[in-house]
Amino acid sequence: MATDAEFIRSQLRITCADALELMTEFLDRVLSATDQERFRAHLNGCEACAVYLDQLRLSVDITTALHGQDDYQVDQSTMEQLVDIYRSTRDES
């Protein structure tokens, strides 16, 4: 039988959908201490969310580095290759 503390912890556990909603706030460092703790606990047990967060962080870093520079145009064949790579990586998870 679960203890009261175990029950409370299970009720406070966040889902992947919750984690996705918190990622931007996490990167912006505006989560409350409680939400940060719950978010980090989820990441420790969910490789998919941890990988997604790393991808999001990298996207933000690239976008920040490009800010103020000329637009970079990606030709259609390159875009299709990138989409194929993303899809195959996602399907392997």
Side-chain angles (χ1 to χ4, degrees):
M1 174 173 237
T3 66
D4 289 341
E6 290 169 338
F7 175 76
I8 291 170
R9 267 194 298 281
S10 72
Q11 295 303 304
L12 293 176
R13 199 169 291 136
I14 65 173
T15 65
C16 292
D18 296 330
L20 289 174
E21 289 185 25
L22 294 174
M23 285 188 186
T24 302
E25 292 176 23
F26 177 79
L27 291 175
D28 289 341
R29 297 185 173 132
V30 295
L31 285 180
S32 68
T34 301
D35 283 342
Q36 260 191 46
E37 182 180 333
R38 293 172 58 215
F39 182 78
R40 288 181 191 276
H42 179 81
L43 289 180
N44 286 335
C46 183
E47 184 178 355
C49 284
V51 168
Y52 187 81
L53 179 64
D54 288 341
Q55 291 173 342
L56 182 59
R57 185 178 285 128
L58 181 59
S59 296
V60 169
D61 291 346
I62 290 170
T63 303
T64 302
L66 293 176
H67 183 68
Q69 297 181 8
D70 294 334
D71 288 341
Y72 180 76
Q73 299 298 317
V74 178
D75 62 78
Q76 187 62 33
S77 66
T78 302
M79 183 60 77
E80 290 170 4
Q81 289 175 345
L82 290 170
V83 169
D84 289 343
I85 290 168
Y86 173 75
R87 285 185 179 145
S88 67
T89 303
R90 183 186 62 188
D91 293 341
E92 291 173 4
S93 307

